[in-house]
Amino acid sequence: MKNKDNQVYAALGQSIVAMQRELGFGSLAKRDMELMIFHHMRQLSVFDGLDNYGLANALKVPESRIKTLRLAAFLKHDAADRDAILKRVFARLADPKHHPQVRDQQIEISVEDPVERRELEKALKDIGSHADYRFNAELLRVDPVRLLALMSEYLGSSAQRQMNDLLSTIAIDDKANAEQLKQAKTWGEKLKALKDMALDGSALLGTVISAAQLYVSLVT
């Protein structure tokens, strides 16, 4: 931990010196300095794993300010890595302590990190879907079939056979629907069949969690 923290302090010092040299001594705006310090501070062991509430308490600022800092620091100092960000989201779905809930036939996901929310929303938009967060900005509601489609999209064709096997295990009471799912051979056909059935979200919750576990195990 101490070595890691020392590396963070060294990186912060190097970044400050480099920017002062680039812009001219004393030219670095207060806002830019805050974002740079926040970007590096979050990597210190004392802040590791803290949520918005914990960071707000540690830094003695409101949670709303923490959310603003997280997104602004990410946009300014981090290279966007959507795969890594989505993996964090799906890892929480796979974690028994953070299993999602079902509300109004949709999967409800807790996403308090504005960076994660931004990338998840864009990923869903790219496959023609969206997240509903009208009731709580930190709780996103997503159609379970669309969520499965998103995981498949980022896993690629090499893992679709395993995802396909997962869909084959879904318990469906209606015989006609069960037969329709059985007749669908490919992952895409099974997703379409599930979408047409308009199943209750609770029927797909276990499959979403299993798919999230598979996603995390396959994405390095």
Side-chain angles (χ1 to χ4, degrees):
M1 284 295 185
K2 187 174 181 180
N3 287 339
K4 177 191 171 185
D5 286 353
N6 287 338
Q7 291 172 3
V8 173
Y9 289 129
L12 173 59
Q14 291 168 4
S15 296
I16 292 174
V17 170
M19 193 164 285
Q20 293 284 11
R21 291 185 63 183
E22 178 183 348
L23 300 177
F25 188 76
S27 299
L28 185 61
K30 178 176 178 289
R31 171 68 170 171
D32 290 333
M33 177 67 82
E34 287 180 344
L35 291 178
M36 183 185 297
I37 292 174
F38 181 80
H39 167 71
H40 289 283
M41 280 181 65
R42 282 199 59 213
Q43 301 173 48
L44 293 172
S45 56
V46 69
F47 299 118
D48 191 34
L50 293 183
D51 57 12
N52 290 339
Y53 176 84
L55 284 170
N57 285 341
L59 300 180
K60 299 178 175 58
V61 296
E63 287 180 62
S64 58
R65 178 117 188 262
I66 293 295
K67 294 177 186 178
T68 300
L69 285 168
R70 290 180 85 156
L71 183 57
F74 167 78
L75 293 174
K76 194 170 187 67
H77 295 288
D78 280 316
D81 185 348
R82 185 173 296 170
D83 285 346
I85 293 169
L86 289 180
K87 183 178 180 179
R88 292 205 305 265
V89 175
F90 294 141
R92 284 201 302 278
L93 296 184
D95 184 344
K97 295 184 295 185
H98 300 284
H99 278 175
Q101 303 296 315
V102 176
R103 296 284 187 275
D104 299 327
Q105 301 186 15
Q106 293 185 311
I107 302 295
E108 193 173 73
I109 306 172
S110 175
V111 185
E112 71 163 31
D113 185 336
V115 175
E116 293 178 355
R117 172 177 157 175
R118 176 179 185 264
E119 295 303 316
L120 179 58
E121 286 179 345
K122 183 61 169 67
L124 287 166
K125 184 177 179 181
D126 286 346
I127 64 168
S129 187
H130 69 281
D132 181 359
Y133 49 87
R134 289 173 296 175
F135 301 98
N136 187 325
E138 294 184 358
L139 290 175
L140 274 60
R141 295 181 181 181
V142 186
D143 177 88
V145 177
R146 292 292 190 180
L147 194 55
L148 289 168
L150 177 62
M151 293 183 203
S152 174
E153 181 77 16
Y154 278 81
L155 280 175
S157 57
S158 61
Q160 285 189 1
R161 181 176 178 180
Q162 291 165 277
M163 297 289 271
N164 198 12
D165 291 341
L166 277 178
L167 294 191
S168 299
T169 65
I170 298 174
I172 299 176
D173 295 331
D174 184 88
K175 290 183 178 180
N177 283 343
E179 183 62 25
Q180 183 182 355
L181 183 62
K182 182 179 179 181
Q183 293 300 319
K185 302 301 181 185
T186 68
W187 168 259
E189 289 173 353
K190 279 185 166 57
L191 282 179
K192 185 179 184 306
L194 288 171
K195 188 67 176 175
D196 292 342
M197 292 175 202
L199 296 176
D200 186 279
S202 57
L204 295 174
L205 180 58
T207 304
V208 168
I209 293 171
S210 296
Q213 292 168 341
L214 176 62
Y215 184 100
V216 172
S217 69
L218 293 175
V219 177
T220 57

